[in-house]
Amino acid sequence: MICIKGVLLLIVRIALLATASLCPAYAAAQVSTAPAEPVAEGGDDIVVTGRAQRLYRTETTTVGKVAEDPLNIPQALQVINSELFVDQGARDATDIYRNISGVSFFSYAGITFRGFRQDQSFYDGMRGNPFIGFSVPQLFNIERVEVLKGPAGLFFGPGSPGGIINYVSKMPSETAGLRTVVTGGNYDRVGISAEATGKVDADGIVTYRLGGFYESMDPWRRNTQNKSLIGDAGLSIRTNEGGKLTLQATIYDNDLQANRLRGVLTDDDGNFLTDIRWNANEPTDFLHLKSEAYQARYATTIGDRVTFDAGVRYFKATETQQYHEPRGLVAGNPDLVAREFRDQIRDVDGLSFSTNLSARVDILGMEHKVQTGADWYDETSVLDSRILRAGVTPLSLSNPVYTTSARDVARAALLPFTRTDTRTKRQGVYLQDQISLTDAFLLVGGIRYDKFEDRVVDAASYEDDDITLRTGAIFKPRKDVSLYLSWSQSFEPQTAASQNVDVGGPFAPVTGDQFEGGVKTDLFEGRLQANLAAYRIVRKNILQADPSLPPVNGQDQLRPIGEVTSKGFEIDLSTDITPNWVLLVNYGYNDTKITGTIAGQAITNAVGNRFANAPKHKVGFWTRYQVPVIDTAFAMGGEHVSKRISLSGQTVRPYTIFDASITKGLGFAELMLRVDNIFDKVYAASGFSAQSGHFPGEPRTFLAELRFKF
C-alpha cells in the first residue's frame, strides 16, 4: 500500500508540473475523455452536425458493480455524462441535481432522495469520498455520475433507502488530445484548466491522463471568496488481452473565505428577513479542505463470458474551520442575530477494497448471468472542536458591521479541544443471478451478507451483521422496451452511542424495503428514451424515546418504534425532436410521511408527520438546438421545486428558475456564454433551521468559457 501510494503521489506531482507548463502555452482548460465527436463535413468545428442524435446517452452503466444495459436492471436509474456537464457548464454536484428526478438539494453535499436525507457518495463503486464534512464534490475529473434509485444494499451495503450516487472517474485514453478552458464571469470569477490524454508508447500499452483545474470567485454572500484547485493524473497499463491496470491520483485544495456558510434568517412564511447577501461570518473566517485520493483498479475479460475487476482506494482529508455560527435572533431585538465562534478540525482517512466477478453460463437451456463480489472499508474520523458561546458580538440583519475575529480566535484558543474519534468498518459479500427464461423474460435475485463495526473511542462500540435481499422480474415485449417489478432492501446501523445498554441497546439496524414497478424505453435507435417508475419505501426500526418506560441511570429508554413511508413516481424523458434539437425533461412526485411513532416523539429530519426539504413536486428540463450553418447552439433549462418545510417547521417557498446559454464555434475554439437564474429570482434552495435560516439560491449569474481543443 505504501509503495502504491508513493508511485501515485509521484504521478500527481508530474501532472501538476505538466499542467503548469501546458497552461501558458495553450491558454488553458477542460478536456473530456469521452469518444471523439464526429466532425461536420467541410470543417473542424467543435459544434458538430448530428451531435443531438447522440443525446447525453450512456448505453451501459456500472451502477450495479459490473457493466450492464440499463434495460436489464429492475430499478430506476439515471446516468449524467460529461457531455451534459460541458453543455450546462456544471462545476460541482449541486449543478446537476436538476437533471435527476426525485433528487433535490438539502445542504452542502447532502440531498433529499425520494423523501429521505442522504449524503453518501461512492467513487468507481467504492467508498471513499474525499469531500468530507461541508464540501461539495467537484466534477472536473468525473466522466459520468450514476444514480441508482431506491435501496441499493445488495451492491453497496449500508446506506439510505432513497438511493446512491456513484461518481465514475475519467480514465487515460489512447486518443491523443489536449483540451483547455479559460473561464470568466461576474462576481470576479476567473478560472483556467487543462487536460491531456494519449499513449506513452507507440503501441498504446501504456496510456496517460493529466489534468489541472483552478478557479476563483467572490460569490454574492458578503465577505466570501472561493478558490478551488484540483490536480489529477492517471496511468493505464494493458496487462493482457482484454485486461488493464489503472493507477490514479487526485489532490483537492478548496479554500473558502467566510465559511462555513449558513443560511439567511426567515420568518415562518419563508420570507427572508434581510438581503440574501447577509452572512454571519467575519471576513477572517474560513473553511479549508485539503484532500487526496489514490486508487488502483484492475479489470479484465476472460473469453467473451467472464469479467473480473478489483480495486483499492485510499483517501485522506483534512477540513479546518473557524467560523461564526448564527444562533437565532437576540431575545427582544428583531434585528440582532446571536452568534457563537467555532474552531474545528476534521481529519478523515479511509481505505476500501472491492472485487467483482460475472460469468454467463447455460443451465437447462437458460442463460444465467451470475455475479458475485466482496467489499471492505475501514475509516477513521477525528473531530477536534472548541466552541466559544459567551461574549461573541451579535450581528445586525439590516446593517451588519464586520470586524476582525482575532479577539474571538484568541479567546477560543484558551479552550481545550473536545475530541470525537470514530472508527468505522464495513465488510460485505454478495451474489446475484440474472436468469434469461426467454429472450423476453428475465428474473433477477440476489443476496448479500454484511458485517459492520462502529466505535467511538472512549465512549461506545457496537458490531453486528445483516442480510440484504433483492428480487426482480423484467419483461421485454421488444428489445428496446423493458417492463419491470422489483423488491429491494437496505439497512443502516444505529449510531454507536444509541447501542448503550443503559438506553436499552443494542438495537437492530434501521431497515428500508421498497416495491417498485416501471417501464424503460430506448426507442428509435436510442433517439427516444422515456422511463416511468412508481415506488413505495417503508423505513422501520427508527429509534425513539419511550416515555412509558422509566429512565435507567438517568437515561431515557429508546425503542425501535419509528416508521416512515415514502410513496411516489418519476418520469424521465430524453429525446431528439429533430436531428439538431434535443430535449431532457424529468418530473418527480413524492409523498413521505411518518406512519409509525408515539405521541410527543420526533423522528430525525421530520416536523410533525412531514420531512424537511422533501418537495411533493419537482420538475427539471434542458433543451438544446443546434444551427450547423452558423456553428451555434442555443440552450435553455429550468427547475421547479414545490413548497417544503425546514427542520424548524418554517415554510420553504416554492420556486421556478430558468437558465440559458449560447455556444458558438469559432473554428479554432468554442465559446459558451451562459446566464443562470435569468430573471434574478430571490428564492431559498432549501431550508435549515430557525436559528441559521434558509440557504438562498444563486442570483443571476453570468459565465463565459473559451474552450480550445487540440
Side-chain angles (χ1 to χ4, degrees), residues 110-384:
I111 57 175
T112 299
F113 206 150
R114 287 190 168 179
F116 299 108
R117 185 176 183 179
Q118 193 265 96
D119 55 10
Q120 280 189 333
S121 298
F122 292 80
Y123 282 75
D124 300 306
M126 294 182 284
R127 295 179 187 268
N129 183 4
F131 295 96
I132 62 170
F134 302 91
S135 299
V136 179
Q138 304 291 302
L139 299 175
F140 169 72
N141 60 319
I142 300 301
E143 178 62 29
R144 65 182 185 273
V145 176
E146 301 179 326
V147 182
L148 181 61
K149 302 179 180 182
L154 177 67
F155 297 119
F156 294 94
S160 168
I164 65 98
I165 294 179
N166 180 45
Y167 294 92
V168 179
S169 304
K170 290 180 178 178
M171 302 283 285
S173 171
E174 291 187 23
T175 303
L178 169 66
R179 180 172 291 180
T180 64
V181 173
V182 178
T183 303
N186 60 338
Y187 301 113
D188 295 325
R189 171 181 259 171
V190 292
I192 190 168
S193 61
E195 298 179 73
T197 61
K199 301 177 183 178
V200 174
D201 63 293
D203 296 327
I205 295 175
V206 181
T207 56
Y208 74 93
R209 179 181 178 275
L210 298 173
F213 173 93
Y214 174 78
E215 189 167 274
S216 173
M217 67 181 299
D218 300 337
W220 71 97
R221 298 289 295 275
R222 288 192 175 104
N223 304 327
T224 57
Q225 182 182 70
N226 299 348
K227 294 182 179 180
S228 297
L229 173 67
I230 303 173
D232 187 55
L235 199 66
S236 288
I237 304 167
R238 193 191 314 151
T239 57
N240 57 286
E241 187 65 31
K244 185 177 290 186
L245 173 66
T246 301
L247 307 176
Q248 294 172 286
T250 310
I251 61 171
Y252 304 90
D253 193 319
N254 287 357
D255 192 2
L256 309 179
Q257 179 180 301
N259 274 257
R260 178 168 60 174
L261 203 59
R262 292 299 199 183
V264 176
L265 271 62
T266 70
D267 61 23
D268 289 343
D269 293 326
N271 301 302
F272 288 112
L273 297 179
T274 187
D275 192 292
I276 63 170
R277 295 178 301 162
W278 189 88
N279 186 358
N281 289 295
E282 298 286 336
T284 51
D285 290 351
F286 65 88
L287 183 154
H288 188 197
L289 172 72
K290 296 187 70 173
S291 62
E292 52 194 74
Y294 306 94
Q295 185 168 284
R297 298 163 59 210
Y298 173 71
T300 187
T301 57
I302 304 171
D304 60 356
R305 288 193 155 224
V306 178
T307 67
F308 171 79
D309 70 82
V312 61
R313 178 177 176 84
Y314 171 79
F315 82 98
K316 180 175 178 58
T318 300
E319 187 178 74
T320 306
Q321 308 173 55
Q322 289 186 353
Y323 69 101
H324 285 77
E325 172 80 1
R327 302 301 295 169
L329 293 172
V330 173
N333 191 326
D335 186 59
L336 284 183
V337 177
R339 298 185 298 171
E340 60 186 32
F341 179 73
R342 299 184 179 181
D343 184 1
Q344 298 178 333
I345 303 172
R346 282 181 170 82
D347 281 307
V348 181
D349 64 86
L351 179 65
S352 59
F353 171 80
S354 175
T355 183
N356 304 280
L357 174 70
S358 71
R360 295 184 181 274
V361 296
D362 294 322
I363 301 175
L364 299 176
M366 295 179 293
E367 184 181 76
H368 294 245
K369 183 179 179 181
V370 180
Q371 180 180 332
T372 185
D375 48 73
W376 175 88
Y377 183 64
D378 191 340
E379 179 184 287
T380 298
S381 177
V382 178
L383 170 64
D384 289 315

Side-chain angles (χ1 to χ4, degrees), residues 53-65:
Q53 293 179 326
R54 297 178 58 189
L55 297 173
Y56 300 108
R57 160 173 202 233
T58 302
E59 296 180 352
T60 61
T61 175
T62 56
V63 76
K65 290 297 183 86

Side-chain angles (χ1 to χ4, degrees), residues 545-565:
D546 188 344
S548 68
L549 298 173
V552 175
N553 294 328
Q555 298 194 58
D556 291 335
Q557 295 299 284
L558 302 178
R559 291 295 181 267
I561 49 183
E563 179 185 283
V564 178
T565 300

Side-chain angles (χ1 to χ4, degrees), residues 676-691:
D676 294 333
N677 193 357
I678 296 172
F679 302 107
D680 204 19
K681 171 80 172 179
V682 176
Y683 68 100
S686 73
F688 206 67
S689 69
Q691 290 186 331

Side-chain angles (χ1 to χ4, degrees), residues 280-566:
N281 289 295
E282 298 286 336
T284 51
D285 290 351
F286 65 88
L287 183 154
H288 188 197
L289 172 72
K290 296 187 70 173
S291 62
E292 52 194 74
Y294 306 94
Q295 185 168 284
R297 298 163 59 210
Y298 173 71
T300 187
T301 57
I302 304 171
D304 60 356
R305 288 193 155 224
V306 178
T307 67
F308 171 79
D309 70 82
V312 61
R313 178 177 176 84
Y314 171 79
F315 82 98
K316 180 175 178 58
T318 300
E319 187 178 74
T320 306
Q321 308 173 55
Q322 289 186 353
Y323 69 101
H324 285 77
E325 172 80 1
R327 302 301 295 169
L329 293 172
V330 173
N333 191 326
D335 186 59
L336 284 183
V337 177
R339 298 185 298 171
E340 60 186 32
F341 179 73
R342 299 184 179 181
D343 184 1
Q344 298 178 333
I345 303 172
R346 282 181 170 82
D347 281 307
V348 181
D349 64 86
L351 179 65
S352 59
F353 171 80
S354 175
T355 183
N356 304 280
L357 174 70
S358 71
R360 295 184 181 274
V361 296
D362 294 322
I363 301 175
L364 299 176
M366 295 179 293
E367 184 181 76
H368 294 245
K369 183 179 179 181
V370 180
Q371 180 180 332
T372 185
D375 48 73
W376 175 88
Y377 183 64
D378 191 340
E379 179 184 287
T380 298
S381 177
V382 178
L383 170 64
D384 289 315
S385 176
R386 50 191 178 192
I387 301 177
L388 183 65
R389 292 188 169 91
V392 180
T393 305
L395 190 67
S396 169
L397 285 172
S398 61
N399 184 31
V401 177
Y402 297 98
T403 59
T404 178
S405 61
R407 175 174 171 271
D408 293 335
V409 173
R411 292 174 60 221
L414 300 176
L415 301 174
F417 276 113
T418 298
R419 168 163 289 197
T420 304
D421 187 344
T422 306
R423 311 294 170 89
T424 300
K425 291 185 178 181
R426 301 283 184 263
Q427 302 166 44
V429 58
Y430 74 90
L431 175 67
Q432 176 182 274
D433 190 9
Q434 181 189 94
I435 308 171
S436 299
L437 298 178
T438 68
D439 290 341
F441 191 34
L442 285 70
L443 292 179
V444 178
I447 183 170
R448 178 185 174 100
Y449 170 77
D450 278 283
K451 184 176 180 181
F452 53 90
E453 179 183 348
D454 293 300
R455 182 164 65 96
V456 179
V457 176
D458 298 327
S461 64
Y462 180 70
E463 60 180 280
D464 200 356
D465 53 25
D466 207 347
I467 298 290
T468 304
L469 302 173
R470 184 178 82 156
T471 62
I474 300 168
F475 175 64
K476 294 183 173 181
R478 47 187 286 171
K479 66 177 184 179
D480 50 10
V481 176
S482 170
L483 295 94
Y484 69 91
L485 291 170
S486 66
W487 171 64
S488 54
Q489 292 185 309
S490 68
F491 77 93
E492 298 169 90
Q494 308 284 3
T495 63
S498 299
Q499 302 292 8
N500 194 312
V501 293
D502 284 348
V503 298
F507 298 103
V510 178
T511 62
D513 288 77
Q514 172 184 270
F515 286 97
E516 178 177 305
V519 57
K520 303 177 184 180
T521 68
D522 193 22
L523 302 169
F524 308 113
E525 298 181 347
R527 292 193 298 274
L528 172 62
Q529 297 173 318
N531 305 320
L532 168 66
Y535 60 87
R536 182 176 184 268
I537 303 172
V538 179
R539 197 177 191 182
K540 296 182 178 180
N541 291 347
I542 301 171
L543 294 182
Q544 293 186 270
D546 188 344
S548 68
L549 298 173
V552 175
N553 294 328
Q555 298 194 58
D556 291 335
Q557 295 299 284
L558 302 178
R559 291 295 181 267
I561 49 183
E563 179 185 283
V564 178
T565 300
S566 169

